[in-house]
């Protein structure tokens, strides 16, 4: 907003009144975000005040959307307050049971006290990029997906950089004589050990949010404090985007024996940083408190709700469902997801949904892929994952710059099937898969569909059978951000 830019400029020049105007203008937005997490009125006000305190401290460094920045800080401030209460409660319970701190607990506290005393000096010894990353992630609580979008890399890449920075910081502290320090101890010291990628996942107590965390009814209304300028054209409320997170995909290998990273399931959601979106997690029954699932939900800010993947009524409250690369999905989930799309929810589906279930001939799984035949998996030989050429066979406004006859490289492995009548196939891989290779009755020689648009009932569907959207986006005449924003806008347009 021009007015926001003028006010922010005035504040940077020392005009305190400009800061007051911005605080007044954005207090409803910040309070609405904090209210999703906090029930106690005093906690709510504490989180709001903490958010604007951070704004006052960092206003001169904000070079992105002010509304987006405040939403991210309000979320992290609220979660920090919840965690603080949890730590206090656990400490009181431990003291009540033991009556006194054990020797191990005392040593544990001593280590953290020494870390606290030396941490500022150790940070100064870090290389500047690592120091800035630690400050943003652990002090300012900037979400990984926001940092990743700014740097133009995947959230998983930023996660690995955070882990490396903590390793370097731990080494510096050990050189200072604190021998008991490693990167996990540091992450615990910063209050967020879940942000480290563990070599082996284990179940852990879930992060408990307020009642709204499990709400499935839309809570974003015109009066929820979100400025209309932060909404997409034609909308007077944020768009509810449900992102599927499969627990089994996080902890079990796919049919090739390769683990699918958590990033593959939520990568595209991490690229949608526009304030118009509210991200809701979709998980299968009994997996919401699993350690790997909660780690993904926190890292990618999927904290605007939680929906059971088998709950058709809850899924219908969404405007858009996003399904990334995953290997496992139950038939009860595909049935509910398909029904929700048929009712009018948009669907952005990537790669081969339920790769491990692809031979089950689940009709609802086929529907989610816009297929009228059973699905079959094809793997490139001799090395799985080799890239193949793909050709544009039809043009579409959602893919500006892709002209009929153009070719580009696409991830070679993928699903084989016949698209449903009325589906517009835009891109196919050039390699022909013979009947005896795919085994789909009556299909004959076929090529793997790469990019398709169509309908499933009343819901619009966009399918990109690619490992990541960059395979397509890099060949367009618009930026990757604008490409995805246009795709999502088209998918949710009927609900506008």
């Amino acid at each position: 907003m021009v007015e926001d830019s003028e006010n922010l400029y005035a504040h940077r020049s020392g005009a305190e009144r400009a800061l007051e105007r911005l605080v007044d203008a954005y207090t409803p937005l910040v309070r609405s975000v904090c209210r999703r997490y906090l029930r106690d009125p005093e906690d709510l006000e504490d989180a709001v005040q903490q958010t604007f305190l951070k704004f006052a401290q960092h206003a001169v460094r904000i070079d992105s959307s002010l509304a987006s920045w405040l939403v991210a800080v309000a979320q992290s401030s609220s979660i920090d307050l919840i965690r603080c209460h949890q730590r206090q409660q656990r400490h009181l319970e431990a003291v009540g049971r033991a009556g006194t701190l054990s020797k191990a607990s005392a040593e544990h506290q001593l280590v953290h006290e020494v870390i606290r005393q030396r941490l500022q000096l150790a940070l100064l010894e870090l290389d500047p990029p690592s120091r800035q990353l630690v400050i943003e992630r652990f002090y300012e609580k900037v979400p990984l997906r926001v940092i990743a979008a700014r740097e133009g890399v995947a959230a998983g890449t930023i996660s690995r950089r955070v882990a490396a920075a903590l390793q370097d910081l731990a080494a510096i502290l050990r050189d200072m004589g604190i021998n008991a320090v490693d990167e996990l101890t540091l992450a615990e010291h910063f209050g967020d050990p879940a942000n480290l990628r563990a070599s082996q996942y284990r179940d852990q107590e879930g992060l408990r949010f307020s009642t709204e965390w499990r709400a499935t009814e839309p809570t974003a209304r015109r009066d929820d404090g979100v400025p209309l300028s932060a909404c997409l054209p034609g909308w007077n409320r944020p768009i509810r985007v449900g992102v599927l997170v499969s627990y089994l995909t996080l902890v079990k290998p796919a049919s090739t024996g390769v683990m699918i990273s958590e990033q593959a399931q939520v990568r595209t959601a991490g690229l949608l940083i526009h304030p118009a979106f509210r991200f809701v997690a979709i998980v299968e029954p009994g997996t919401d408190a699993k350690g790997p699932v909660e780690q993904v939900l926190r890292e990618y800010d999927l904290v605007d709700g939680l929906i059971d993947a088998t709950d058709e009524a809850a899924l219908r409250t969404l405007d858009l469902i996003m399904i990334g690369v995953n290997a496992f999905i139950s038939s009860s989930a595909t049935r509910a997801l398909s029904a929700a799309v048929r009712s009018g929810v948009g669907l952005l589906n990537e790669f081969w949904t339920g790769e491990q279930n692809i031979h089950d001939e689940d009709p609802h799984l086929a529907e989610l892929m816009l297929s009228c035949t059973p699905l079959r998996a094809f793997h490139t030989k001799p090395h799985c994952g080799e890239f193949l050429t793909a050709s544009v066979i039809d043009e579409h406004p959602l893919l500006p710059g892709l002209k009929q006859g153009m070719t580009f490289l696409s991830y070679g492995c993928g699903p084989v099937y016949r698209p449903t009548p009325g589906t517009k196939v835009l891109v196919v891989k050039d390699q022909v898969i013979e009947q005896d290779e795919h085994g789909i009755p009556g299909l004959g020689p076929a090529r793997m569909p790469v990019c398709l648009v169509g309908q499933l009932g009343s819901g619009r569907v966009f399918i990109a059978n690619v490992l990541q959207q960059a395979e397509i986006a890099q060949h367009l005449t618009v930026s990757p951000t604008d490409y995805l924003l246009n795709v999502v806008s088209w998918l949710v347009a009927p609900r506008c």
Side-chain angles (χ1 to χ4, degrees):
M1 293 174 62
V2 174
E3 184 180 354
D4 287 358
S5 300
E6 293 174 350
N7 284 340
L8 196 54
Y9 176 83
H11 171 62
R12 289 170 175 171
S13 301
E16 294 183 359
R17 180 55 188 160
L19 175 61
E20 294 176 3
R21 286 197 295 268
L22 286 172
V23 170
D24 290 342
Y26 283 96
T27 292
L29 169 62
V30 171
R31 181 172 283 110
S32 71
V33 173
C34 296
R35 190 178 291 117
R36 298 194 202 114
Y37 301 87
L38 303 166
R39 305 293 288 175
D40 185 275
E42 293 184 2
D43 288 344
L44 177 63
E45 291 307 315
D46 286 346
V48 171
Q49 291 183 21
Q50 185 64 25
T51 299
F52 284 112
L53 177 61
K54 293 177 181 177
F55 168 58
Q57 293 171 336
H58 302 288
V60 295
R61 294 175 52 195
I62 301 173
D63 56 6
S64 59
S65 164
L66 179 56
S68 300
W69 190 92
L70 287 171
V71 166
V73 174
Q75 289 174 335
S76 64
S77 296
S78 300
I79 294 174
D80 284 346
L81 195 57
I82 293 172
R83 289 174 177 155
C84 180
H85 288 333
Q86 289 178 329
R87 288 194 295 269
Q88 291 174 350
Q89 183 62 33
R90 286 195 295 267
H91 176 71
L92 290 174
E93 291 175 355
V95 171
R97 287 192 303 267
T100 184
L101 290 174
S102 66
K103 179 180 179 180
S105 296
E107 291 176 351
H108 181 80
Q109 287 195 1
L110 179 61
V111 169
H112 284 284
E113 177 58 25
V114 176
I115 291 174
R116 186 188 65 78
Q117 294 173 4
R118 304 285 180 86
L119 190 54
Q120 295 305 315
L121 289 175
L123 281 169
L124 292 176
E125 296 294 324
L126 266 182
D127 62 277
S130 296
R131 180 169 62 247
Q132 179 63 24
L133 189 57
V134 169
I135 290 172
E136 284 191 304
R137 187 68 189 111
F138 295 109
Y139 286 87
E140 299 174 0
K141 307 296 183 184
V142 179
L144 285 176
R145 66 182 179 86
V146 174
I147 300 175
R150 186 193 67 213
E151 298 295 326
V153 298
T157 300
I158 295 298
S159 180
R160 288 188 289 273
R161 290 179 186 175
V162 170
L166 289 183
Q167 289 176 347
D168 292 343
L169 186 58
I172 292 171
L173 287 165
R174 286 195 296 272
D175 288 342
M176 292 180 173
I178 312 175
N179 297 324
V181 177
D182 58 16
E183 60 269 26
L184 189 58
T185 305
L186 272 179
E188 180 187 18
H189 184 82
F190 286 125
D192 207 356
N195 279 299
L196 281 182
R197 182 190 300 270
S199 59
Q200 288 196 354
Y201 290 115
R202 63 179 184 274
D203 291 350
Q204 58 189 26
E205 180 184 359
L207 179 62
R208 297 301 89 191
F209 290 85
S210 66
T211 305
E212 283 81 3
W213 168 239
R214 295 186 179 279
T216 57
E217 291 300 320
T219 56
R221 300 179 299 276
R222 185 165 186 157
D223 61 350
D224 73 347
V226 178
L228 288 181
S229 60
C231 297
L232 288 184
W235 290 76
N236 61 8
R237 63 172 177 83
I239 294 170
R240 283 166 53 83
V241 180
V243 183
L244 179 66
V245 179
S246 162
Y247 170 68
L248 288 180
T249 299
L250 293 173
V251 299
K252 295 182 66 175
S255 61
T256 58
V258 176
M259 294 293 297
I260 297 176
S261 71
E262 73 278 3
Q263 176 187 331
Q265 292 197 63
V266 295
R267 178 189 288 115
T268 302
L271 298 176
L272 294 174
I273 59 173
H274 194 284
F277 301 110
R278 297 290 181 267
F279 291 101
V280 176
I282 303 174
V283 299
E284 296 206 86
T287 67
D288 62 297
K290 299 289 189 181
V293 172
E294 288 221 350
Q295 178 177 341
V296 172
L297 303 194
R298 282 184 246 176
E299 282 194 1
Y300 289 86
D301 277 356
L302 308 181
V303 293
D304 282 289
L306 186 67
I307 286 180
D308 184 330
T310 64
D311 188 341
E312 178 186 333
L315 291 169
R316 287 186 177 187
T317 69
L318 298 169
D319 300 304
L320 173 68
I321 292 171
M322 296 180 67
I323 303 178
V325 183
N326 66 80
F328 299 88
I329 185 169
S330 68
S331 59
S332 55
T334 60
R335 184 184 304 109
L337 289 164
S338 176
V341 176
R342 285 186 172 279
S343 74
V345 180
L347 172 64
L348 174 56
N349 197 351
E350 299 174 309
F351 213 46
W352 42 9
T353 302
E355 182 263 354
Q356 280 282 47
N357 312 96
I358 210 165
H359 291 284
D360 296 342
E361 300 192 4
D362 178 352
H364 304 295
L365 180 61
E367 287 179 341
L368 294 173
M369 299 291 289
L370 291 180
S371 172
C372 62
T373 64
L375 304 169
R376 291 293 185 266
F378 175 81
H379 294 275
T380 54
K381 300 174 182 178
H383 302 294
C384 191
E386 289 185 346
F387 280 73
L388 301 174
T389 58
S391 296
V392 179
I393 61 173
D394 207 342
E395 299 175 18
H396 196 280
L398 293 179
L399 302 178
L402 287 192
K403 302 298 182 181
Q404 190 171 5
M406 285 181 59
T407 63
F408 59 86
L409 290 177
S410 181
Y411 189 77
C413 303
V416 186
Y417 58 93
R418 176 184 293 141
T420 55
T423 295
K424 194 169 187 178
V425 181
L426 307 179
V427 182
V428 296
K429 293 173 188 172
D430 292 337
Q431 181 167 335
V432 176
I433 315 301
E434 300 295 340
Q435 175 73 41
D436 60 351
E437 291 183 277
H438 60 66
I440 300 175
L443 180 59
R447 294 195 289 172
M448 291 181 282
V450 175
C451 195
L452 314 88
V453 291
Q455 293 270 147
L456 177 56
S458 300
R460 290 183 174 182
V461 180
F462 184 91
I463 293 180
N465 288 321
V466 293
L467 192 61
Q468 52 183 305
Q469 291 283 353
E471 293 177 30
I472 298 172
Q474 63 181 322
H475 303 288
L476 305 179
T477 54
V478 297
S479 70
T481 300
D482 287 341
Y483 153 63
L484 287 173
L485 191 59
N486 291 339
V487 168
V488 171
S489 299
W490 179 80
L491 288 171
V492 300
R495 291 204 159 196
C496 181

